[in-house]
C-alpha cells in the first residue's frame, strides 16, 4: 500500500489519531458489510463511525480531517464500483439466458413468460438508440462547434456575455420539459403536416435530443478552443492572415482533439437521454425497413427501461438491466475515449508552454 | 502613382457593392427568420400580405435573393464593381454544393419522376458534377454566387409558376413521411436564405480572404442567434402556455398568512399551494411535488457536498499524483457520464431493497440524486481549490500552522465561492432529472398530500433507532409530476382542467425552479468574479 504510507507520511499520527483512524475505519467497514447484507443492524456501526468522527474532530482534528477526506474519496470510488456491480449482477440472468443473441438476434422478439419459454433481443432498441443518436449528432456537432467558435473567438464582449450564459441555461431546461413540448407540439405538427402513420418518430426525437446535447458540445469545445495558446494564433496573425484564416488553419486544427472529445461527450449525453424518447416514442419494437427510415416509431435502450420497469417480471427486469449495461458500456467507452483524446491534446499543447 | 493610392483598408465611404450586398445580406437574414416564423405557424401560408398570398411572397423572396446574387457575381466578374476575388471559391463550398446537387438530381429523377434509382443516380452525379464545376472552375466571385443564385431562382420559379404549391406533396420511398408544400416551401426557403447569407456576406467584403471571413462569420453569428432564439422560444412557449394554470384562482391579497395570533393578507397561488389529487380543493395544485423536489434536493446536497468537497480536499491537498488519484479520476468521470436512467436502475436494485423492502421511497431518491450531484461537486470543488495560488498556502505554512489548518483557514475560504456556484448549478441540473427518481420514488400519479418529513422522525427501541415513515414512502417531485401527468394522459380533475392545461402548469413551475437555480448560480459566479478582479 504505497498510497497509505504516503498519506501516513504527510501527518505524524500520534496515538490518539491512530485510535480514531482504527475505530473509525473498523466501524465503517462493519457498516458497509452489514449494509450490503441488508441488515438493519447496519445503523449501529454507522452511529459508531459518526461518534468516532465527532470525538476525533474535537480532540485530533488534523488526523480526523485527513481520515475523513480519505473516506470521502473512497466512498466516491466505491459508489462507482457498486453501480457497475449491481448493474451487471442484475443483468446477468438475461445475458445468460439469451447470450449474444441479446445483441444480434433479429427475430427473438420481446416476450417474457413465467411458465413457458421467453425470447427477447435488444436489437430494435439498439437500432433506435443509433438512429436517434445519429440525427442528434448531425444537429449538435456542427451547430455546437460553430457556437463554441463564436463564443471563444468571434463574439464581441457584449454578445459573449449573452450567449455564454444562454447556452448554460439551455443545459438547464429539464429533459422532461423538452419531451412534453415534443409530445404535445412537434408530434402533433408532424402528424398533421407530414403524413406520418402514427405519433412520434426517431427523427424528431433525434432533433430534440440533439438540442439537449448541444450545450455539452458548445461548452466542452469552447474550453478546448480557448486553451489554444495565444502565441500560436499571434504567429499566424503576424503573417497577415485574417482572423478566419487563423481559426481555420491554426486554432481549430490545434484544438481538433479537444473538439472531437466534446463531440464524443455530446454523443454520450445523447445516448443516455431518456425522457424525451420515452415520452415522444410509442414503444413499438420493430426495426424499420429500409433501415434508413428514421420517420418510423420505435424504442430506444433508455426508453424501454423507463417505460417498462414498473410491470416487469423477474427475467423481464433482468433484460431491462441488460439494456442498462449496454448503455453504460457504450457511454463509458465514449467517455474514456474523450479523456484519452483530451490528455493527448494537453500533452501536445503543453509542450511549448 | 495616383492610381495606386486607393487602399481598401482606409476607404471611408461604402461602395455601391457594399450597399447592395449588405442589403441582400439583411434581406436574407430577414427571410430566414420569416420562413421559420411560417414553419412555426405564426405566419399562415394562406394569409394575404399586401394582396398577395404568403406562398407567393416566398416565390418572390427566392427570386429576389437569387437574382441579386447572380447580378452581384456577374457585376464583379465583368469588373463593374471593385472586388478582389481569389482564383476559385475553394474545395469546401464545392463539396457542399456538389452534395446538394447530387441529392437534388437523385431526388427529382429517381423518386419524383419515378425513373428508378439508376437513372436518379446518373442524374444526381451529372447535376452534382455541374455544381462542383460551377463552384470550383470559375473565379471566386462567380463560383460562390452562381450555384446558390441559380438554385434560389429555380426554387422561386417553381413556386411562382405554381409547380410547388401549399398543397403540393410528395412521398419518398425511403422515408415514411411526406414532403408537403405547407412546410417544405418555408424550410426550403430558409436553406436558400442561409446560402444567400454566406454568399452575400462574401460579396459585401469584395470576396477574397476578407470576403471568406465575412461569409463565415455571418453564418456563425446566425447560428449563435439561432441557439438563443430556440432557448427564448422554449421558455416563452412554456410560460405562455402555463401561466393561465399557474394563475388559476390566484390573487395578490386573497390568502392569509398567520403569524401566531396575527393573520395578515397574503398572496394566494392555489396552483402552487394546493394538493394534487385531493378532492377538497378547487384547483388541483403541485404542492406535494414542490415539497418532494425540496426534500430530494436537500437530501442530495447533504450527501454530495461533504463527500465531494472532502474528496476534492484529499485529491488536491493531501494525495500525491499516483495510482489512487488516477482511480478516483476514472471514477469521477465515470459517475459524470453515467446516464441518468442507469442511476435509476442502480437505486432500484441497490437502495430500494435496503430501505423500504423494495418499495419506492424518498430516501433512495435523495441518495441517487446525491450520487449524481457528487461528481459535479467534486469537479468544481477541485477546480476551485486548484485555482487557489500556492503562494497563499506557502504563506500560511510559513506561519508554522499544520497542513489541515492551512486548508481550513486559507484554501477552503478562497475556494468557497467556486464551490458554492458549482453546487447551485449542479442542483439546478438534478432538480430537473426525471429518470432516476422515476425508478426510485414514484408512488401515485396524483398524490393527495405532501410528504411530512420533519414531523415524520421517530425514535425506536431497536436498530436503526431512528426511522422516518415519510422518508420511507414514495412521493412525487416536479419533473416526475409532469411525467406521471403525461402518462396518465389526463389532469387530476379531468372535468375541469384538460391534460395539457395542467401539464403546462407543472412544466412552468418546474422550469421556474430549475432556471431559478441556474440564474442564481450564474449570477453569483459573475458577482464573485467581478469581486476578485476589483
Amino acid at each position: 500500500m504505497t498510497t497509505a504510507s504516503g498519506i501516513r507520511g504527510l501527518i505524524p499520527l500520534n496515538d490518539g489519531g491512530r485510535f480514531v483512524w482504527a475505530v473509525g475505519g473498523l466501524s465503517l467497514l462493519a457498516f458497509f458489510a452489514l449494509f450490503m447484507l441488508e441488515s438493519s443492524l447496519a445503523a449501529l456501526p454507522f452511529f459508531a463511525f459518526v461518534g468516532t468522527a465527532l470525538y476525533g474532530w474535537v480532540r485530533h482534528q488534523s488526523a480526523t480531517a485527513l481520515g475523513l477526506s480519505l473516506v470521502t474519496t473512497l466512498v466516491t470510488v466505491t459508489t462507482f464500483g457498486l453501480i457497475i456491480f449491481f448493474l451487471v449482477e442484475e443483468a446477468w440472468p438475461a445475458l445468460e439466458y439469451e447470450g449474444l443473441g441479446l445483441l444480434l438476434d433479429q427475430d427473438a422478439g420481446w416476450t417474457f413468460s413465467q411458465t413457458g419459454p421467453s425470447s427477447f433481443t435488444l436489437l430494435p432498441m439498439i437500432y433506435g438508440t443509433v438512429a436517434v443518436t445519429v440525427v442528434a449528432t448531425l444537429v449538435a456537432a456542427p451547430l455546437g462547434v460553430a457556437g463554441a467558435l463564436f463564443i471563444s473567438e468571434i463574439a464581441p464582449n457584449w454578445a459573449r456575455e449573452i450567449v455564454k450564459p444562454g447556452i448554460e441555461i439551455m443545459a438547464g431546461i429539464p429533459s422532461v420539459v423538452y419531451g412534453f413540448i415534443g409530445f404535445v407540439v412537434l408530434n402533433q405538427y408532424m402528424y398533421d403536416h407530414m403524413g406520418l402513420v402514427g405519433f412520434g418518430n426517431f427523427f424528431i426525437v433525434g432533433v430534440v435530443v440533439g438540442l439537449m446535447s448541444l450545450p455539452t458540445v458548445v461548452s466542452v469545445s469552447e474550453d478546448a478552443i480557448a486553451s489554444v495558446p495565444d502565441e500560436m494564433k499571434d504567429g499566424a496573425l503576424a503573417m497577415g492572415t485574417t482572423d478566419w484564416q487563423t481559426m481555420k488553419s491554426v486554432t481549430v486544427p490545434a484544438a481538433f482533439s479537444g473538439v472531437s472529445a466534446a463531440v464524443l461527450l455530446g454523443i454520450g449525453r445523447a445516448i443516455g437521454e431518456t425522457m424525451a424518447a420515452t415520452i415522444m416514442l410509442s414503444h413499438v419494437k420493430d426495426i424499420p425497413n429500409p433501415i434508413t427510415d428514421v420517420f418510423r416509431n420505435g424504442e430506444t435502450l433508455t426508453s424501454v427501461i423507463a417505460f417498462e420497469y414498473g410491470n416487469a417480471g423477474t427475467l423481464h427486469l433482468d433484460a431491462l438491466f441488460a439494456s442498462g449495461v449496454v448503455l453504460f458500456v457504450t457511454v463509458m467507452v465514449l467517455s474514456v475515449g474523450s479523456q484519452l483524446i483530451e490528455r493527448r491534446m494537453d500533452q501536445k499543447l503543453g509542450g511549448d508552454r | 502613382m495616383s492610381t495606386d493610392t486607393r487602399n481598401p483598408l482606409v476607404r471611408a465611404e461604402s461602395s455601391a457593392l457594399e450597399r447592395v450586398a449588405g442589403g441582400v445580406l439583411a434581406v436574407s437574414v430577414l427571410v430566414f427568420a420569416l420562413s421559420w416564423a411560417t414553419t412555426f405557424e405564426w405566419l399562415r401560408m394562406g394569409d394575404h400580405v399586401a394582396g398577395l398570398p404568403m406562398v407567393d411572397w416566398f416565390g418572390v423572396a427566392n427570386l429576389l435573393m437569387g437574382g441579386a446574387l447572380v447580378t452581384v457575381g456577374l457585376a464583379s466578374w465583368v469588373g463593374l464593381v471593385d472586388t478582389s476575388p481569389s482564383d476559385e471559391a475553394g474545395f469546401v463550398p464545392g463539396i457542399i454544393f456538389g452534395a446538394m446537387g447530387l441529392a437534388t438530381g437523385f431526388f427529382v429523377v429517381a423518386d419524383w419522376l419515378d425513373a428508378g434509382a439508376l437513372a436518379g443516380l446518373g442524374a444526381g452525379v451529372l447535376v452534382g458534377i455541374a455544381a462542383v464545376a460551377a463552384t470550383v472552375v470559375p473565379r471566386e466571385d462567380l463560383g460562390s454566387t452562381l450555384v446558390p443564385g441559380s438554385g434560389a431562382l429555380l426554387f422561386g420559379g417553381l413556386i411562382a409558376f405554381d409547380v410547388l404549391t401549399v398543397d403540393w406533396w410528395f412521398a419518398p420511398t425511403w422515408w415514411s413521411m411526406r414532403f408537403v408544400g405547407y412546410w417544405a416551401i418555408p424550410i426550403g426557403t430558409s436553406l436558400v436564405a442561409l446560402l444567400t447569407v454566406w454568399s452575400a456576406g462574401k460579396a459585401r467584403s469584395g470576396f477574397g480572404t476578407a470576403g471568406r471571413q465575412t461569409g463565415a462569420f455571418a453564418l456563425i453569428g446566425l447560428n449563435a442567434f439561432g441557439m438563443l432564439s430556440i432557448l427564448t422560444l422554449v421558455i416563452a412557449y412554456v410560460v405562455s402556455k402555463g401561466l393561465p394554470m399557474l394563475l388559476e384562482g390566484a390573487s395578490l391579497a386573497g390568502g392569509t398568512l398567520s403569524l401566531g395570533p396575527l393573520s395578515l393578507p397574503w398572496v394566494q397561488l392555489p396552483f402552487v399551494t394546493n394538493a394534487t389529487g385531493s378532492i377538497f380543493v378547487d384547483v388541483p395544485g403541485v404542492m406535494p411535488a414542490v415539497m418532494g423536489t425540496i426534500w430530494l434536493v436537500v437530501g442530495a446536497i447533504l450527501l454530495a457536498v461533504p463527500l465531494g468537497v472532502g474528496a476534492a480536499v484529499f485529491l488536491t491537498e493531501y494525495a500525491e499524483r499516483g495510482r489512487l488519484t488516477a482511480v478516483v479520476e476514472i471514477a469521477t468521470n465515470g459517475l459524470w457520464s453515467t446516464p441518468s436512467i442507469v442511476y435509476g436502475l442502480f437505486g432500484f436494485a441497490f437502495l430500494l431493497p435496503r430501505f423500504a423492502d423494495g418499495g419506492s421511497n424518498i430516501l433512495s431518491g435523495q441518495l441517487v440524486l446525491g450520487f449524481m450531484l457528487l461528481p459535479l461537486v467534486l469537479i468544481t470543488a477541485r477546480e476551485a481549490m486548484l485555482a487557489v495560488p500556492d503562494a497563499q498556502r506557502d504563506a500560511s505554512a510559513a506561519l508554522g500552522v499544520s497542513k489541515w489548518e492551512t486548508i481550513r483557514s486559507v484554501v477552503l475560504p478562497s475556494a468557497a465561492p467556486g464551490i458554492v456556484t458549482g453546487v447551485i448549478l449542479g442542483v439546478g441540473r438534478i432538480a430537473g432529472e426525471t429518470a432516476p427518481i422515476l425508478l426510485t420514488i414514484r408512488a401515485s400519479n396524483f398524490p393527495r398530500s405532501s410528504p411530512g418529513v420533519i414531523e415524520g422522525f421517530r425514535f425506536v427501541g431497536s436498530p436503526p433507532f431512528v426511522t422516518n415513515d415519510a422518508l420511507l414512502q414514495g412521493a412525487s417531485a416536479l419533473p416526475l409530476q409532469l411525467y406521471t401527468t403525461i402518462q396518465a394522459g389526463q389532469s387530476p380533475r379531468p372535468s375541469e382542467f384538460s391534460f395539457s392545461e395542467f401539464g403546462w402548469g407543472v412544466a412552468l413551475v418546474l422550469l421556474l425552479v430549475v432556471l431559478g437555480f441556474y440564474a442564481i448560480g450564474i449570477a453569483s459566479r459573475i458577482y464573485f468574479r467581478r469581486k476578485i478582479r476589483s
Side-chain angles (χ1 to χ4, degrees):
Chain A
M1 289 298 281
T2 48
T3 34
S5 62
I7 293 157
R8 212 165 286 152
L10 278 170
I11 288 192
L13 280 183
N14 56 20
D15 286 346
R18 230 172 257 154
F19 171 74
V20 171
W21 272 54
V23 176
L26 282 177
S27 50
L28 199 62
L29 275 179
F31 162 71
F32 183 69
L34 289 171
F35 189 69
M36 293 301 286
L37 294 172
E38 301 185 33
S39 161
S40 60
L41 289 173
L44 284 175
F46 183 74
F47 290 132
F49 171 76
V50 173
T52 319
L54 283 176
Y55 163 78
W57 190 262
V58 178
R59 300 295 297 273
H60 310 280
Q61 210 180 72
S62 284
T64 311
L66 171 59
L68 284 178
S69 77
L70 177 62
V71 166
T72 53
T73 313
L74 294 178
V75 168
T76 307
V77 178
T78 314
T79 305
F80 188 57
L82 284 175
I83 290 179
I84 298 176
F85 176 78
F86 275 92
L87 207 56
V88 175
E89 194 221 6
E90 295 285 321
W92 194 252
L95 301 173
E96 223 172 16
Y97 192 92
E98 283 285 340
L100 265 185
L102 193 64
L103 304 179
L104 303 174
D105 192 345
Q106 285 197 29
D107 314 308
W110 189 253
T111 47
F112 301 92
S113 157
Q114 300 287 356
T115 47
S118 300
S119 170
F120 48 92
T121 172
L122 290 173
L123 200 60
M125 293 72 154
I126 294 176
Y127 168 81
T129 294
V130 170
V132 167
T133 309
V134 167
V135 177
T137 312
L138 290 178
V139 172
L143 301 191
V145 176
L149 263 183
F150 181 80
I151 292 176
S152 81
E153 301 290 309
I154 298 173
N157 269 332
W158 63 267
R160 183 179 305 127
E161 301 280 309
I162 300 173
V163 177
K164 214 179 157 182
I167 298 292
E168 219 166 341
I169 287 177
M170 210 170 161
I173 296 179
S175 57
V176 66
V177 171
Y178 276 113
F180 190 49
I181 294 176
F183 179 72
V184 176
V185 183
L186 300 179
N187 276 0
Q188 184 69 48
Y189 185 93
M190 294 185 86
Y191 182 76
D192 288 345
H193 298 298
M194 297 177 87
L196 297 184
V197 272
F199 258 49
N201 59 80
F202 289 125
F203 178 81
I204 194 66
V205 174
V207 171
V208 170
V209 170
L211 289 180
M212 276 188 249
S213 33
L214 194 57
T216 308
V217 180
V218 174
S219 50
V220 181
S221 42
E222 191 223 324
D223 284 348
I225 293 171
S227 73
V228 175
D230 279 345
E231 289 88 340
M232 289 172 77
K233 300 178 209 164
D234 293 347
L237 288 171
M239 306 277 291
T241 62
T242 61
D243 285 339
W244 173 240
Q245 282 174 318
T246 311
M247 271 173 237
K248 243 184 2 181
S249 37
V250 177
T251 315
V252 172
F256 184 77
S257 36
V259 171
S260 37
V263 172
L264 285 187
L265 284 180
I267 295 177
R269 279 265 170 255
I271 291 177
E273 179 43 54
T274 310
M275 295 325 286
T278 310
I279 296 171
M280 290 169 72
L281 292 175
S282 60
H283 309 282
V284 206
K285 287 169 197 69
D286 284 326
I287 298 178
N289 180 29
I291 60 163
T292 49
D293 193 355
V294 288
F295 287 89
R296 285 296 185 83
N297 228 314
E299 187 82 288
T300 67
L301 287 167
T302 51
S303 69
V304 71
I305 303 174
F307 193 68
E308 293 183 359
Y309 83 96
N311 37 23
T314 329
L315 192 60
H316 190 170
L317 205 56
D318 297 336
L320 297 182
F321 272 89
S323 177
V325 170
V326 175
L327 271 175
F328 185 78
V329 170
T330 319
V331 171
M332 282 310 133
V333 167
L334 288 171
S335 163
V336 170
S338 74
Q339 277 172 61
L340 290 179
I341 293 174
E342 270 184 338
R343 195 166 304 159
R344 225 189 65 196
M345 171 165 170
D346 280 351
Q347 282 167 358
K348 204 169 92 187
L349 291 183
D352 49 34
R353 261 187 222 158
Chain B
M1 290 301 283
S2 59
T3 50
D4 278 342
T5 49
R6 244 178 53 133
N7 184 343
L9 282 176
V10 294
R11 198 173 55 199
E13 78 277 17
S14 58
S15 68
L17 171 76
E18 275 176 21
R19 283 196 296 273
V20 172
V24 179
L25 182 68
V27 168
S28 53
V29 170
L30 190 71
V31 171
F32 182 77
L34 286 181
S35 53
W36 278 103
T38 315
T39 315
F40 291 142
E41 298 181 320
W42 299 327
L43 301 170
R44 298 278 170 167
M45 280 303 260
D47 287 353
H48 282 63
V49 182
L52 213 56
M54 199 64 198
V55 56
D56 287 346
W57 280 109
F58 276 105
V60 171
N62 279 299
L63 288 175
L64 246 170
M65 291 190 293
L69 279 189
V70 174
T71 314
V72 167
L74 283 175
S76 161
W77 191 60
V78 299
L80 271 179
V81 287
D82 189 32
T83 53
S84 49
S86 319
D87 288 341
E88 34 85 30
F91 240 161
V92 178
I95 290 170
I96 292 174
F97 291 160
M100 285 177 169
L102 183 84
T104 317
F106 180 82
F107 163 81
V108 170
V109 174
D111 236 341
W112 198 6
L113 304 179
D114 221 1
L118 209 63
L121 202 64
V125 169
L126 277 182
V127 179
I129 289 177
V132 173
T135 312
V136 179
V137 175
R139 216 171 59 176
E140 190 198 9
D141 42 5
L142 274 192
S144 49
T145 53
L146 265 191
V147 175
S150 50
L153 284 175
L154 182 70
F155 192 56
L158 286 175
I159 302 172
F161 289 103
D162 283 342
V163 181
L164 292 177
T165 59
V166 178
D167 299 321
W168 169 89
W169 65 269
F170 160 70
T173 44
W174 64 90
W175 282 336
S176 47
M177 50 81 82
R178 281 181 190 175
F179 288 93
V180 182
Y182 183 78
W183 57 266
I185 290 176
I187 288 194
T189 307
S190 79
L191 286 178
V192 170
L194 272 187
L195 291 180
T196 313
V197 165
W198 172 76
S199 192
K202 281 184 100 168
R204 195 184 172 279
S205 301
F207 302 100
T209 48
R212 284 177 192 200
Q213 166 153 326
T214 314
F217 281 16
L219 281 186
I220 295 176
L222 195 60
N223 169 55
F225 174 75
M227 290 199 281
L228 283 190
S229 311
I230 292 173
L231 173 72
T232 323
L233 267 179
V234 168
I235 296 177
Y237 193 76
V238 174
V239 170
S240 71
K241 287 280 182 181
L243 214 51
M245 189 72 218
L246 178 64
L247 298 180
E248 182 76 35
S251 67
L252 264 180
T256 47
L257 174 74
S258 7
L259 290 169
L262 272 170
S263 131
L264 302 166
W266 192 245
V267 183
Q268 192 180 29
L269 206 56
F271 184 69
V272 176
T273 52
N274 280 356
T276 317
S278 167
I279 50 167
F280 302 110
V281 293
D282 299 332
V283 181
V286 289
M287 195 60 195
V290 172
M291 289 312 292
T293 291
I294 290 175
W295 285 118
L296 286 175
V297 164
V298 168
I301 291 177
L302 286 179
L303 177 75
V305 171
L307 284 182
V309 175
V313 165
F314 183 79
L315 288 176
T316 43
E317 305 298 322
Y318 288 119
E320 308 272 322
R321 280 196 77 83
R323 218 176 307 160
L324 181 64
T325 55
V327 170
V328 177
E329 248 161 55
I330 291 172
T332 314
N333 284 319
L335 287 174
W336 187 84
S337 43
T338 298
S340 55
I341 189 82
V342 172
Y343 274 104
L345 286 174
F346 170 65
F348 190 77
F350 177 60
L351 297 173
L352 290 194
R354 282 171 176 75
F355 289 122
D357 295 328
S360 298
N361 60 82
I362 301 180
L363 186 57
S364 299
Q366 291 174 318
L367 293 179
V368 166
L369 287 186
F371 289 138
M372 283 193 80
L373 183 59
L374 175 58
L376 303 173
V377 174
L378 208 166
I379 291 170
T380 42
R382 224 184 141 185
E383 270 170 16
M385 286 179 204
L386 284 173
V388 177
D390 274 344
Q392 289 191 17
R393 293 189 182 87
D394 296 345
S396 167
L399 293 173
V401 302
S402 75
K403 182 138 193 141
W404 165 244
E405 278 163 333
T406 302
I407 296 170
R408 198 184 58 184
S409 48
V410 175
V411 179
L412 283 179
S414 314
I419 299 175
V420 169
T421 50
V423 170
I424 297 173
L425 289 175
V427 165
R429 204 183 125 197
I430 58 156
E433 282 289 350
T434 316
I437 56 174
L438 172 66
L439 272 69
T440 46
I441 74 166
R442 179 177 188 175
S444 65
N445 281 350
F446 302 115
R448 293 209 179 85
S449 60
S450 310
V453 172
I454 293 178
E455 56 273 24
F457 281 103
R458 297 270 180 284
F459 293 96
V460 289
S462 63
F465 303 116
V466 184
T467 65
N468 188 330
D469 286 340
L471 279 182
L472 295 180
Q473 277 167 8
S476 191
L478 283 169
L480 186 58
Q481 184 62 63
L482 180 52
Y483 179 70
T484 52
T485 307
I486 296 170
Q487 252 209 336
Q490 59 179 31
S491 81
R493 198 74 62 76
S495 53
E496 287 158 60
F497 299 97
S498 76
F499 149 73
S500 61
E501 272 176 321
F502 187 77
W504 287 118
V506 182
L508 176 58
V509 177
L510 169 63
L511 204 62
L512 288 178
V513 169
V514 171
L515 294 190
F517 278 116
Y518 271 78
I520 296 171
I522 293 173
S524 68
R525 187 178 58 205
I526 294 173
Y527 169 76
F528 286 128
R529 285 218 176 125
R530 293 234 169 101
K531 213 170 139 192
I532 288 169
R533 266 191 218 138
S534 61

